Amino acid sequence: MSYKWIALSNTTLGNLLATINSSIVLISLPAIFKGIAIDPLSPANVSYLLWMLMGYMLVTAVLVVTLGRLGDMYGRVRIYNAGFAIFAVTSIILAIDPFTGGAGALWLIGWRIVQAIGGAMLMANSAAIITDAFPAEQRGMALGVNIVSALAGSFIGLVVGGVLAEWHWRSVFWVSIPLAVAGTIWAYRSLRETGSRRPARIDWWGNATFAIGLTAVLAGITYGIQPYGGHAQGWTNPWVLAGLIGGGLTLVVFAVIETRVPEPMFPLGLFRNLAFTGGNLANLLASVARGGLQFMLIIWLQGIWLPLHGYSYESTPLWAGIYLVPMTIGFLAAGPLSGVLSDRYGPRLFAVVGMLVMALSFAGLMLIPGDFSYPVFALLIFVNGLGGGLFAAPNTSLLMSAVPADMRGAASGMRATFQNAGQVLSIGVFFSLMVAGLADSLPNSLDTGLTAQGVPADVAASAASIPPVGTLFAAFLGYNPIAELLGPDVLGALPPANADRLTGLEFFPQLIAGPFHDGLVVVFWLAIGMSVLGALASMIRTQRAASSSADAIALASSGAPAPRSSRAPAVDPS
């Protein structure tokens, strides 16, 4: 087999594993929390929930640029292979979590963070390895397959996680072990360095300020959705404000450092290329919209639609994954095809059309009722996947073709940073908007619904005063909190029929369906706006000033001339 196909196959497997593990836990959390004996509704456990969700994504967002830059300096294959090995070892460690309760949660969170380091090594260098291995006329197709596999992993993880969680919570981690071990051995035996390596010094100050600043901002957003001081959300929490403001200022310091050091980790000069800048902006917006959609659809299915249609709460993760399959099919159908066609007709048109198709699907989802007809829902999420598939590979092709050869590792890492940061941002942004929407109507709905079933007014008022984020997490986890909110004494004093209805499948979903749909309207309007802006950003073209534009970028980025063998002009691939 030709080396380029070996490189494509192995990096596709690596990307797929890294991204499957970013979403497989998302839909498996009910089983994981039950397996390690954690109460998901206890205020003390909300941090475990958030870090289980976002720790992996936050670490990959912070580290991919650094690891892509290290790939440029020390060899992309070397960093990639080490990442595969770390990923394989941590998959084994995660599967043997020996603790329960808080200790069990901390074990999983800590080792997921280490696993994320391996995943970041894979993500940061895979696109650069492929770009080095394939000629320009086949690069769009190859990047299409690779990038589609990476993004499809986030969809596939939902299905696989739902199926495995039904069997045993540890199987969510077992599934990665044989593939990760085989992929590690295969990578060390088969991959070789084919790209240009650029000797440079490590930008320690840049690395430190970037990691501290981005971590502080994303952690601040994460904790901002938790209640604080009688407020439904925590944006007035001094620690949240310190994280957002302090992290933002640290990132400003980082930007200043990067303009003054001779070997920056984040080559800001690349942003002088308008196509690179516009492509990264579109990538960020698409990632936020796509990540937010995944969370909203899981809540919609697990917390509302499936229970209303007779599915037990224990089985909702499995069926939510199954009912989301059309989105994965749409993505897989359009992704590779758009890569091939972009080689022939140019990537810009497909990137723009893909974002507009996503915007149309968001509008359709906004218009259907909470208790929707599944064929209509399936068609809309299929169209959404189709739009995402049309956008993914052409967007990556635009980005990677706009930079000189010796900067592809850094560019690949920067692309992955925007993509992964968008996933974390989506949780904070979409959850905040949803909580704000719920705060207006949910307390009254909960109070009215409980008193209608004979619950004493003071008890109903107390239950209705719980922060909306608690109700949202209950729906996200496919969990009916009514029995816990009321307690056995109150339920025991009610007529049996009323108690059964309160703790049955339909009462809680019917109660939150209206307020949830009000929040969905706000969320999907934002997603539509992001998709349209992403389409406009994808239309930005490179200025064709002179054939030496790539050299100018390389010099501005590094402060030193690039090797002659790597000097290739950046072109507008559209």
Side-chain angles (χ1 to χ4, degrees), residues 254-266:
F254 161 75
V256 173
I257 290 172
E258 295 306 276
T259 62
R260 300 188 177 186
V261 297
E263 303 286 351
M265 63 153 281
F266 205 119

Side-chain angles (χ1 to χ4, degrees), residues 41 43 46 225-234 434-436 438-439 442-443 446 461-474 481 485 508:
L41 296 184
V46 171
I225 65 178
Q226 296 187 53
Y228 174 78
H231 300 287
Q233 300 184 64
M434 181 59 71
V435 168
L438 289 174
L442 180 63
L446 193 55
S462 176
S465 67
I466 66 166
V469 70
T471 305
L472 195 62
F473 280 142
L485 288 175
F508 180 63

Side-chain angles (χ1 to χ4, degrees), residues 52-76:
M52 201 86 75
L53 280 175
M54 292 189 282
Y56 186 97
M57 290 184 283
L58 191 150
V59 171
T60 54
V62 168
L63 291 182
V64 283
V65 171
T66 300
L67 295 170
R69 191 74 174 129
L70 289 175
D72 287 337
M73 294 165 56
Y74 299 114
R76 293 151 193 169

Side-chain angles (χ1 to χ4, degrees), residues 519-557:
L520 273 183
V521 172
V522 177
V523 163
F524 283 142
W525 269 119
L526 178 63
I528 291 169
M530 287 182 169
S531 299
V532 173
L533 286 175
L536 293 175
S538 298
M539 297 172 66
I540 298 174
R541 294 176 178 270
T542 302
Q543 294 177 336
R544 300 171 184 247
S547 62
S548 60
S549 58
D551 293 339
I553 293 171
L555 288 169
S557 306

Side-chain angles (χ1 to χ4, degrees), residues 116-193:
I117 296 173
M121 289 178 166
L122 296 174
M123 294 179 196
N125 292 281
S126 60
I129 290 172
I130 287 174
T131 305
D132 289 337
F134 277 82
E137 63 273 12
Q138 292 182 313
R139 196 171 292 153
M141 176 276 300
L143 287 171
V145 172
N146 185 262
I147 300 305
V148 165
S149 73
L151 293 175
S154 64
F155 299 120
I156 294 171
L158 299 178
V159 180
V160 174
V163 173
L164 293 176
E166 184 78 0
W167 174 35
H168 197 286
W169 71 269
R170 292 184 190 272
S171 64
V172 171
F173 304 110
W174 290 338
V175 69
S176 298
I177 295 173
L179 292 174
V181 171
T184 301
I185 296 171
W186 182 21
Y188 273 102
R189 289 175 60 91
S190 302
L191 297 183
R192 62 178 183 268
E193 300 288 354

Side-chain angles (χ1 to χ4, degrees), residues 296-314:
M296 294 303 109
L297 293 184
I298 290 173
I299 294 171
W300 202 348
L301 288 172
Q302 291 190 178
I304 298 174
W305 193 84
L306 287 168
L308 286 177
H309 288 257
Y311 293 87
S312 68
Y313 284 103
E314 292 76 17

Side-chain angles (χ1 to χ4, degrees), residues 339-376:
V340 173
L341 293 177
S342 68
D343 283 337
R344 179 174 299 181
Y345 301 109
R348 196 173 309 280
L349 173 65
F350 295 96
V352 172
V353 170
M355 292 299 287
L356 294 178
V357 169
M358 288 177 66
L360 289 174
S361 71
F362 287 128
L365 288 167
M366 183 175 63
L367 294 175
I368 63 175
D371 189 10
F372 50 78
S373 167
Y374 180 71
V376 175

